[in-house]
Amino acid sequence: MTLVEVVVAFGILAVAALALIAAFVSGMKLSAHSRDITIASEVAKQVLERTRDELRMFGFDCIPAGTYSFDGRAGDFPIGIPPFPPGPYPTTRISDQDYFVVVTGEEPAPGRLKNVRVDVYWHGNSHVTMETKFSP
Amino acid sequence: MVLFMMMVGLYASARGGFLSASSQARRLAAQYAAEAGLAETMESIRPGGFSIANGTLTGTLSSGATYTVEFKDAPPFEPYHSVNNLNNAFGAADSHRGPATVPPSSALIIVRANSGGVERTVEAVVSRGTGKLITGNAIQTSGTIQMSGDVNVDGIKGMSEQEEVPGNIHANADSGTTVEWDSSGSNARITGTVSSLGGSIDLSGYTPMGGPASIGSSAPFRRQNIQQKVGNGTGVDPGSLVVGSISLTGEQKRSGDMTVQGDLELDGATLYVEGNLLVNGSITGQGTIYVNGNTSFQGDSNVTAHSEHKVALLSHGDVTLSGFDGTSYLESIGDPGFQQDFQDLQTALSDLNSSLADPNLTPQYLSQQVKGIRRVISETHDQATNNSYAQANGMTHDTLGRMLSFLQTQPPDTSRDFLLDKLTSLHGFMNDIRENDTVTTLSQLERNRLVQEWSDNPHQRNYDFEGLFDAMVQSGNPQLALQDVTGLMAQLDHNRLGNSFFQGLIYTEGSLHASNEVSIIGALYVNGDESLPSRTLNGVTLNPGDLVLDSGVSVTFVEEFFDGKESGIALSGNDGLGVETWLGR
């Protein structure tokens, strides 16, 4: 085996190894992203379901009237009794990962219909969105 | 090579996981979009009187998710066709699920939603009258409760099924004396529990039948958005001042204050009052009153034989129940003859109720013996010489008529006029029926016509039916007479002619003060809005959420009024439209 052959062999091996490492890293990232999407969806779901429960127990006023925005990344405080947005707003930490909750909404039919949109962010701009409407 | 295959496998697996997680997230987003569509559909079909039968509703959320609802009123139905049967109270409608599968007064709503290419369908049956107050207490407040005088709090399952349920009292106040009863010379009967969030409870040593008073629990209290409901409400203006009784139907809206000097009857009406509401009479019937300001209610003993009567009175401001105390007024008249008549009247009414409550009561007894008692109460033609009941008790005929004549001679004031109005109705109801005030009694045909009129107007069964009692006991329909006369008379408390009576729900976001004994068949809820000012009455400061009952209270909680079903009191928005059953979610 000549030196050239050895170098070429190492080169091929290195390229293959790099490709494998890249595939491995990419796979790990996808796996982590999948987990983040699943967790973030569950966080958004919890906010909406708790809003629904509190509406059932305390009435339509537990959701703010008009247009509103609560940004968990900016540390906006919940308002009212019971507090809106409900937990896990403003943030929840799972497996060393922070998930920030942003709740926005409007009232297309005053007193009769309210939109609630929940965005859950992680790693900067990665996010999932759940949105629904509530009637009294 | 093996390593390469493993890496590819790992990547493929991770990618599959990612796609699955993304799909699940979109599926969840589609579900919420579908529920948004359901909420919007419920809102959309209300303004038109639930009239949408054909057509498509679509919407797009800011997240990009979309939803579609397609109504159809006749076959053939596809699995995505919604059916609106809300305006049909008597029959079920067909749907894709088969014949007669959408119950009366209901709608089958099917919402198809799409988020990021993932579709989701939600299917639900919605119906009227599903607005719920999530509480099972007869009396509930967000502030403190102070009670004096006799207290009776119990409960029944429904107006037609008298099975008992606990009558509970709860205060969400958390400091000081949260629930207090001043027992001096009075009795208490509370069949359920007494509890509060914090502080202490002082019942003067009385232990409720549901167990010792307890501290530490909070009861959910659903807020009713009265201001907004009044603001959005529309309807005919009933006027600022109504003198005499008024019967309201449909939607009514008063832009300012409203005063009713007489009885207010709701015939399925919704009344919105922007200002204050004063009713110097009774509130009966079926419907809802929303008051943005304060409410003053001077009820009386006007009763109703209709078990389905229930009124929801919702006041954003304070509520004052100064129930007219007719008994005290009558007892205060010093004339011996008047007092003798008053005593005989009470005895006769008591005997009448006992007779009507007799399970062995026969039509013959009703028309003969009961007639004798009736004549002692109200009879403007014959003398008592042939009346064995009157003779046996040393009574004369028409005690109520003489009392009315005497009251006419008294100085006119609100109390006298109020009693005159009420007792005149009772006198007419119990009086012998004559044609044109002659000695000729009404024909059997006329009697039956009067009874039939009563029977055909279930929402107006009160003492305004002149001669009805006589017509009933002598009518050709003794079974109807037995049933309806017994029902009506059983609600007349001969010991408390003229005191407050209310059937339904009283709910306020201010404070509530009752200066006379009040009797409520339904529930009493005080859910204070802290932004409202306090008020001081007789040196006592009442904050929003506080309840003061100065002269006793009797509350019979009626579970069916609040169970969220059609027979109950509808309170929430969308005219009480709510999801009855989820068929797919």
Side-chain angles (χ1 to χ4, degrees):
Chain A
M1 183 177 288
T2 65
L3 181 61
V4 173
E5 287 173 331
V6 169
V7 170
V8 169
F10 268 105
I12 292 169
L13 199 60
V15 169
L18 281 173
L20 288 174
I21 289 168
F24 179 77
V25 170
S26 185
M28 292 303 287
K29 278 185 177 174
L30 266 180
S31 180
H33 196 57
S34 303
R35 188 204 60 172
D36 288 335
I37 288 173
T38 302
I39 292 173
S41 299
E42 187 58 32
V43 169
K45 181 182 175 185
Q46 281 183 34
V47 172
L48 287 173
E49 291 302 322
R50 286 194 60 182
T51 300
R52 188 194 308 280
D53 286 347
E54 287 173 0
L55 183 148
R56 190 171 57 86
M57 292 176 70
F58 299 102
F60 206 42
D61 283 353
C62 73
I63 303 173
T67 302
Y68 59 85
S69 175
F70 296 90
D71 193 336
R73 297 168 300 181
D76 290 347
F77 286 106
I79 59 167
I81 301 172
F84 183 89
Y89 178 87
T91 179
T92 187
R93 188 173 180 81
I94 297 171
S95 302
D96 293 331
Q97 176 66 54
D98 287 322
Y99 298 87
F100 296 97
V101 180
V102 177
V103 180
T104 53
E106 58 184 357
E107 195 175 14
R112 311 201 72 88
L113 200 62
K114 291 178 180 178
N115 281 22
V116 178
R117 172 180 168 141
V118 181
D119 292 280
V120 179
Y121 288 86
W122 71 97
H123 282 163
N125 276 330
S126 298
H127 72 284
V128 296
T129 302
M130 301 290 160
E131 183 176 6
T132 193
K133 296 181 182 183
F134 293 104
S135 59
Chain B
M1 190 63 187
V2 172
L3 196 60
F4 177 75
M5 293 294 287
M6 285 173 65
M7 287 302 111
V8 169
L10 173 68
Y11 181 78
S13 169
R15 191 163 186 279
F18 170 74
L19 291 175
S20 172
S22 299
S23 173
Q24 283 297 325
R26 287 198 294 272
R27 187 172 161 75
L28 188 59
Q31 179 191 309
Y32 283 119
E35 290 175 16
L38 180 64
E40 178 141 7
T41 304
M42 286 162 61
E43 158 60 19
S44 297
I45 60 179
R46 189 201 66 84
F50 309 110
S51 61
I52 297 176
N54 284 290
T56 303
L57 298 169
T58 59
T60 304
L61 299 175
S62 63
S63 61
T66 60
Y67 51 81
T68 304
V69 181
E70 197 171 330
F71 280 99
K72 199 163 186 291
D73 64 352
F77 293 107
E78 298 295 335
Y80 52 82
H81 280 146
S82 300
V83 176
N84 183 358
N85 196 35
L86 283 163
N87 281 332
N88 180 3
F90 303 104
D94 301 345
S95 75
H96 79 91
R97 291 182 172 272
T101 46
V102 185
S105 299
S106 302
L108 173 68
I109 298 179
I110 301 166
V111 189
R112 289 175 294 159
N114 187 306
S115 177
V118 176
E119 286 212 354
R120 192 80 189 258
T121 300
V122 160
E123 187 170 353
V125 173
V126 303
S127 60
R128 289 169 160 177
T130 51
K132 287 184 180 179
L133 270 180
I134 309 295
T135 178
N137 297 318
I139 298 176
Q140 183 168 317
T141 67
S142 59
T144 61
I145 299 172
Q146 293 178 54
M147 299 178 288
S148 309
D150 290 337
V151 172
N152 179 63
V153 181
D154 55 14
I156 52 175
K157 230 175 169 46
M159 296 299 285
S160 53
E161 52 177 321
Q162 300 286 313
E163 184 185 334
E164 285 192 11
V165 299
N168 302 321
I169 299 175
H170 180 85
N172 273 341
D174 60 0
S175 61
T177 305
T178 51
V179 184
E180 185 176 11
W181 175 54
D182 177 4
S183 68
S184 49
S186 305
N187 297 310
R189 177 178 172 270
I190 301 169
T191 63
T193 60
V194 176
S195 56
S196 74
L197 177 57
S200 61
I201 294 175
D202 178 7
L203 298 179
S204 299
Y206 173 74
T207 301
M209 293 160 73
S214 62
I215 307 286
S217 62
S218 172
F221 218 159
R222 184 174 177 141
R223 173 89 68 198
Q224 301 298 311
N225 198 332
I226 298 168
Q227 283 178 297
Q228 211 153 35
K229 281 172 180 163
V230 173
N232 294 337
T234 56
V236 181
D237 183 357
S240 61
L241 175 64
V242 177
V243 178
S245 298
I246 183 172
S247 179
L248 301 178
T249 58
E251 303 250 313
Q252 307 262 340
K253 182 166 183 178
R254 175 68 207 147
S255 297
D257 295 344
M258 182 175 176
T259 299
V260 181
Q261 294 288 358
D263 297 332
L264 173 60
E265 185 195 330
L266 303 181
D267 186 3
T270 302
L271 171 63
Y272 303 99
V273 181
E274 287 273 15
N276 301 319
L277 173 67
L278 167 66
V279 179
N280 191 12
S282 67
I283 303 177
T284 59
Q286 203 164 359
T288 309
I289 302 172
Y290 294 102
V291 183
N292 206 15
N294 300 323
T295 302
S296 183
F297 167 40
Q298 301 178 339
D300 73 314
S301 62
N302 192 18
V303 295
T304 167
H306 200 276
S307 65
E308 290 180 6
H309 275 198
K310 45 191 170 278
V311 172
L313 172 63
L314 297 99
S315 178
H316 179 59
D318 299 322
V319 170
T320 303
L321 300 175
S322 47
F324 176 66
D325 191 351
T327 310
S328 298
Y329 179 89
L330 294 172
E331 286 175 348
S332 70
I333 293 176
D335 183 80
F338 182 89
Q339 287 304 323
Q340 183 62 53
D341 282 335
F342 183 32
Q343 191 180 324
D344 288 350
L345 172 67
Q346 290 181 297
T347 303
L349 285 172
S350 175
D351 289 346
L352 189 60
N353 276 339
S354 300
S355 297
L356 292 172
D358 184 351
N360 299 317
L361 183 65
T362 62
Q364 289 75 22
Y365 184 87
L366 187 69
S367 62
Q368 296 302 320
Q369 302 302 316
V370 169
K371 185 176 178 183
I373 305 177
R374 179 197 66 72
R375 288 176 151 193
V376 167
I377 298 167
S378 180
E379 171 63 62
T380 52
H381 297 89
D382 297 334
Q383 300 303 308
T385 48
N386 296 324
N387 184 341
S388 58
Y389 171 80
Q391 295 294 316
N393 291 282
M395 297 171 175
T396 54
H397 278 183
D398 203 25
T399 53
L400 188 51
R402 280 193 302 280
M403 286 173 64
L404 284 167
S405 299
F406 186 88
L407 285 173
Q408 292 279 11
T409 66
Q410 298 299 296
D413 63 18
T414 309
S415 300
R416 188 206 70 150
D417 296 347
F418 190 77
L419 263 181
L420 270 177
D421 183 38
K422 297 299 121 185
L423 295 182
T424 298
S425 294
L426 181 60
H427 186 255
F429 180 81
M430 301 295 289
N431 202 2
D432 189 5
I433 45 174
R434 304 277 169 156
E435 223 162 12
N436 301 320
D437 203 30
T438 67
V439 293
T440 310
T441 56
L442 279 182
S443 66
Q444 190 65 44
L445 194 64
E446 277 300 293
R447 285 178 181 143
N448 290 345
R449 183 197 57 74
L450 192 60
V451 172
Q452 192 61 49
E453 192 182 335
W454 157 280
S455 181
D456 290 344
N457 292 280
H459 295 289
Q460 293 172 12
R461 292 178 182 173
N462 53 42
Y463 295 129
D464 291 339
F465 278 78
E466 178 97 18
L468 183 76
F469 188 91
D470 194 29
M472 275 194 168
V473 297
Q474 298 187 56
S475 74
N477 191 344
Q479 288 308 317
L480 177 67
L482 279 172
Q483 182 185 332
D484 279 356
V485 171
T486 303
L488 185 66
M489 296 308 296
Q491 295 178 59
L492 181 63
D493 187 341
H494 65 276
N495 280 323
R496 300 214 311 273
L497 287 172
N499 285 354
S500 295
F501 174 89
F502 190 91
Q503 189 162 308
L505 165 72
I506 296 178
Y507 171 98
T508 174
E509 292 173 350
S511 60
L512 192 150
H513 179 263
S515 56
N516 289 83
E517 179 176 347
V518 291
S519 299
I520 293 167
I521 299 176
L524 193 54
Y525 296 147
V526 187
N527 192 3
D529 178 347
E530 300 300 327
S531 67
L532 292 173
S534 301
R535 61 171 167 162
T536 303
L537 285 170
N538 304 326
V540 177
T541 300
L542 279 78
N543 296 312
D546 289 348
L547 169 65
V548 176
L549 303 165
D550 268 349
S551 301
V553 63
S554 173
V555 178
T556 297
F557 178 67
V558 184
E559 193 176 75
E560 73 173 6
F561 283 4
F562 308 102
D563 62 4
K565 294 178 181 163
E566 198 167 345
S567 58
I569 295 175
L571 289 175
S572 65
N574 292 324
D575 287 345
L577 202 61
V579 175
E580 187 76 32
T581 311
W582 289 101
L583 299 173
R585 182 177 182 237

